Amino acid sequence: MACKLVILFFFVNLLMQIPKVRATVPAIIVFGDSTVDPGNNNQVSTVLKSNFEPYGRDYYGGQPTGRFSNGRIATDFISEALRIKPAIPAYLDPKYDIEDFATGVSFASAGTGYDNATSDVLSVIPFWKELEYYKEYQNKLRKHLGKDEANQRFSESLHLISIGTNDFLENYYIFPTRSSEYSVDEYQSFLIGIASNFIRELYKLGARKVAIGGLPPMGCLPLERTTNMFFGSDCIDEYNDVAKDFNKKLQGAVTELKQELGGIHLVMSSPYDKLMEMIRNPSHFGFEDAETACCGTGFFEMSYLCDNMNPFTCSDANKYVFWDAFHPTEKTNAILADYVVKTTLAEFQ
């Protein structure tokens, strides 16, 4: 009997120790474009903003924040799923300070890309500048928490990167500069080189947990379908093929970086298949429309064209996969985040 009690005590004590040794994520640090920008562009001189109604109408308090959605974006849901906080603030938002940023912050800027030429199109924050803001943030957090605790937090925090679509749809396929310099294959490699170097820089700065997102089926965005109107408004297969090829190359780069950078936990999370599943079978997810967007006519409106004066905006965004012609609804963001948390991000929990 005494032996059984000793064994039981040992087993209970072991269970109590598991939460103490299990790796946790104390903060989420975000880099990227409009898919993960919670409002940094509000503080930038650019036409690409969304800090006005009907954006944010389903966010807390019905307030537009600068998120390109009717509500929360994917990184907000990821943060909530990891039991950190329900929304990640924008680094440039004056309402927040280092205490708020200590558990999560986004440096992302809508309209930006890996390529500096992409950020120049709409005068938004270039990707390299996001890294400079991160360095500034690190100095502030060291002063706030102390050097050792802050450095520990950098190594334990999950660094998320979501970027790349604008490089093709806003730059390569619109302006002749890059397309005259590079073939599509060469341009993909050029961008992946930038992505790899960015991860190397994060590693030098102490990051050890990194997740980088691949490209979505960008040929199925409502805006791209509209440009394909003379061909039945179908998805543009060329753009989707480019996205799939890019994702394969990015996965290869991730594999190489894991071998190169000792101790890094690096994963690639691709929204492609899950989003395509929603587009092909919307009713399975409770959607009614995966071809047009909720805002305006649903064919081309985004940013200032998607304003409160537009009489065509839908009444229930939950019926739509896309909120505006370029960005998902809050419901879509929640589904994508849930999928990523349960798959590629599972090792960080």
Side-chain angles (χ1 to χ4, degrees), residues 123-333:
S123 300
V124 296
I125 302 168
F127 196 39
W128 65 265
K129 182 65 175 178
E130 293 185 26
L131 190 66
E132 292 303 306
Y133 280 138
Y134 179 55
K135 293 176 184 178
E136 181 181 89
Y137 160 78
Q138 285 193 322
N139 291 331
K140 290 179 181 179
L141 196 64
R142 289 188 182 105
K143 292 179 182 178
H144 178 67
L145 296 179
K147 182 179 179 180
D148 292 342
E149 185 176 346
N151 288 342
Q152 182 71 16
R153 180 155 301 197
F154 301 143
S155 67
E156 294 180 350
S157 295
L158 177 57
H159 297 70
L160 296 177
I161 304 168
S162 177
I163 194 170
T165 302
N166 296 321
D167 289 304
F168 293 97
L169 300 187
E170 184 186 300
N171 184 359
Y172 188 86
Y173 286 113
I174 300 296
F175 300 102
T177 305
R178 289 308 194 204
S179 57
S180 64
E181 291 178 319
Y182 301 101
S183 66
V184 172
D185 182 72
E186 290 169 340
Y187 192 59
Q188 290 174 333
S189 298
F190 169 68
L191 298 180
I192 287 172
I194 295 172
S196 296
N197 286 333
F198 191 91
I199 293 171
R200 290 187 182 99
E201 289 301 313
L202 286 179
Y203 182 83
K204 290 177 184 177
L205 293 170
R208 292 298 180 268
K209 298 178 181 180
V210 182
I212 185 167
L215 297 183
M218 55 190 185
C220 292
L221 300 178
L223 182 62
E224 304 313 315
R225 284 180 181 266
T226 299
T227 64
N228 203 31
M229 190 170 292
F230 291 111
F231 298 93
S233 296
D234 290 333
C235 297
I236 300 178
D237 291 336
E238 178 187 353
Y239 292 175
N240 286 347
D241 289 341
V242 167
K244 287 186 285 188
D245 290 343
F246 180 89
N247 291 346
K248 289 178 183 177
K249 291 181 179 180
L250 184 60
Q251 182 60 67
V254 165
T255 300
E256 292 177 3
L257 287 167
K258 289 169 71 172
Q259 296 174 342
E260 174 187 333
L261 306 175
I264 195 170
H265 295 276
L266 174 62
V267 297
M268 176 188 162
S269 60
S270 176
Y272 189 98
D273 290 337
K274 196 59 166 182
L275 185 53
M276 184 58 88
E277 188 181 347
M278 284 185 260
I279 291 168
R280 287 176 173 168
N281 190 13
S283 61
H284 178 74
F285 299 89
F287 295 113
E288 295 181 5
D289 195 330
E291 296 183 8
T292 60
C294 169
C295 195
T297 63
F299 295 119
F300 61 89
E301 293 93 341
M302 62 176 286
S303 192
Y304 285 110
L305 294 176
C306 173
D307 62 21
N308 222 23
M309 301 298 290
N310 197 314
F312 301 106
T313 298
C314 77
S315 59
D316 185 1
N318 286 334
K319 296 178 180 180
Y320 290 76
V321 173
F322 294 99
W323 164 248
D324 66 18
F326 214 80
H327 304 98
T329 56
E330 179 181 60
K331 180 178 175 179
T332 302
N333 284 326

Side-chain angles (χ1 to χ4, degrees), residues 8 93 103 109 111 115 158 185 227 287:
L8 179 63
D93 192 330
T103 53
S109 176
D115 187 352
L158 177 57
D185 182 72
T227 64
F287 295 113

Side-chain angles (χ1 to χ4, degrees), residues 100-112:
D100 301 301
F101 299 147
T103 53
V105 60
S106 175
F107 304 99
S109 176
T112 200

